[in-house]
Amino acid sequence: MADSTATPSTPVDVVLVGGGIMSATLGSIIRLVEPTWSIRIYERLDAVAQESSNAWNNAGTGHAALCELNYTPEKADGSIDITKAVAINEQFQTSREFWQHLVSADLLPEPEGFIASTPHMTFVRGAANVDYLRRRHAALVVHPLFSDLEFTDDPAVVGEWAPLLVAERSADEPIAATRSTSGTDVNFGALTRKLTDYLESTGAELHLQHEITSLRQRKDGTWRLKVADRTWNAAERRSTVDAKFVFIGAGGGALPLLQKAGIPEAKGYGGFPISGLFLRTTNPELVAQHQAKVYGKADVGSPPMSVPHLDTRVVDGETSLLFGPYAGFSTKFLKKGSLLDLFMSIRPSNIVTMLAVAKDNMDLTKYLISEVTKSRWNKFKTLRDFMPTADPKDWEFITAGQRVQVMKSHPEKHGVLEFGTELITAADGTIAGLLGASPGASTAVPAMVDLLERCFPQQFPAWHRELATMMPSLAPQEWSSEEAFAELEADDADFQKTA
């Protein structure tokens, strides 16, 4: 293996902390542009993709802003702002281009193992919401990336698209829906495993049940990491590894490690952990009647994480339906973490941020309290709003992954809560980490390209030329150009067919 002889005095070129989609993506990109670099992956559990990347710990939505209303806010003048929706769709196209390149180069197996074509729909109830959805559709459909988006306020058409939404629904209730047939369901757990297999086949080392317990930068700029071997029969419980570059892609575990690293760029950041539940059914009769990811509208005053959605899920070749999420609260930063995680993350540098967020987000506190105290039947009635014929005997509750929302300092408000992802990089480019949640996994590729540009400014110009041949959307272009979009469709044709 390329780095099998590495010792603390012989630094590994790249250490990836955490065996999720972010580390697997970054490692794969680095391997393509720098094939001789040594790479090590450290994962504290006994397999990769067991936390947020696991298929049952997330909704599997290929986030392209086709159905998510929180990406298209309404302005004060009543117009719809599509800026964020366009940006997220562009980022997802870049991710798909990278996956397509790996498949075409025989570096990944066929895509049907990790991505499936699944229409994306938005479904709303009530006259005001119907009006909003109509205006949203009008704003989006003129952009080439959303040109296939359909709108209807005809219950019969909604029933053709998704029968479970209208069966036994009152005819007096105004409803509307949009649909894009270009949507996808992504098994990020399967994709992570395939990317990790590729990395191992090229000489990268994967160390399972190994946990990074501390990080310290040495005088020469490299990082010394202390590693705890968590296997029951470990010959040596503690060891160290030196690294020229460290990426912390450990999901909820990233913040504590960035804090341990002591870089000033991580000061002022906090994490707000939120747990969750999904309802799942594998009833073949129900599954056959619903082939879409259908997102609704959050209640007024509710946070983006409360958006209800009824999703087709394809996991390891088996199709099921998933509904949720039902938010809850836990002080753990990881699903298999410690109840002390939140308290251990409090520092003098972030306590003002965290207190300010707590003061300014009482609506979130009320929402979480209401969710936690809801009975299972009241939770189930939320599904009934979406699917009037839902029967409890067909559904089971499953525990979703733990997500940690980013809290960051703000010059005026002292602290704000972020609902996206946040890339933190040291000034010298030797260490970086990713915080936050949705739409994280869907935008993993452009996020990691951004990381490389920030951390390796000297090498990046040469890398960018090579990466742009793999991902044409990285080349300068105007996405509103019909010619550019036609080229994207042509390049993506084979991948669309298999997915």
Side-chain angles (χ1 to χ4, degrees), residues 12-45:
V12 177
D13 290 311
V14 177
V15 164
L16 305 172
V17 183
I21 186 64
M22 293 298 174
S23 290
T25 299
L26 179 60
S28 299
I29 296 174
I30 289 175
R31 180 56 85 218
L32 290 171
V33 296
E34 292 290 349
T36 63
W37 282 13
S38 54
I39 300 174
R40 281 191 184 180
I41 308 168
Y42 289 94
E43 167 56 50
R44 71 188 189 95
L45 301 179

Side-chain angles (χ1 to χ4, degrees), residues 127-142:
N129 290 333
V130 170
D131 177 64
Y132 162 77
L133 191 63
R134 181 182 290 107
R135 288 183 286 116
R136 176 184 186 269
H137 171 261
L140 285 172
V141 75
V142 295

Side-chain angles (χ1 to χ4, degrees), residues 4 82 121 155 164 187 193 209 319 335 439:
S4 59
I82 68 169
M121 291 179 58
L164 297 181
N187 184 335
R193 291 190 291 272
Q209 293 182 280
T319 306
K335 192 172 180 178

Side-chain angles (χ1 to χ4, degrees), residues 290-369:
H290 188 85
Q291 297 176 10
K293 287 184 176 293
V294 184
Y295 276 57
K297 195 168 190 287
D299 293 334
V300 176
S302 297
M305 71 196 61
S306 67
V307 174
H309 44 96
L310 180 61
D311 299 338
T312 295
R313 290 302 329 265
V314 182
V315 178
D316 300 329
E318 298 294 325
T319 306
S320 60
L321 300 183
L322 205 66
F323 179 80
Y326 299 97
F329 178 73
S330 169
T331 54
K332 293 182 179 181
F333 276 4
L334 293 163
K335 192 172 180 178
K336 297 182 180 179
S338 167
L339 290 172
L340 297 177
D341 287 341
L342 174 60
F343 308 106
M344 295 294 290
S345 73
I346 299 173
R347 299 284 194 279
S349 62
N350 67 11
I351 191 167
V352 172
T353 298
M354 297 176 75
L355 289 173
V357 168
K359 177 180 70 70
D360 295 338
N361 288 272
M362 292 305 297
D363 56 338
L364 176 58
T365 303
K366 292 176 182 177
Y367 165 74
L368 291 175
I369 292 173

Side-chain angles (χ1 to χ4, degrees), residues 412-465:
E412 297 176 1
K413 298 181 180 180
H414 300 296
V416 292
L417 189 65
E418 292 285 332
F419 288 100
T421 51
E422 190 88 4
L423 183 62
I424 298 176
T425 58
D428 63 2
T430 60
I431 189 170
L434 190 79
L435 306 178
S438 180
S442 297
T443 60
V445 174
M448 294 302 98
V449 171
D450 180 31
L451 180 151
L452 292 175
E453 183 175 14
R454 292 163 61 172
C455 293
F456 299 92
Q458 294 183 336
Q459 298 98 322
F460 188 77
W463 292 349
H464 186 268
R465 287 191 292 271

Side-chain angles (χ1 to χ4, degrees), residues 393-411:
K393 67 179 177 58
D394 295 318
W395 299 81
E396 63 175 337
F397 280 99
I398 63 171
T399 303
Q402 194 78 355
R403 60 196 302 177
V404 180
Q405 305 296 151
V406 178
M407 294 186 282
K408 57 189 291 188
S409 58
H410 188 277

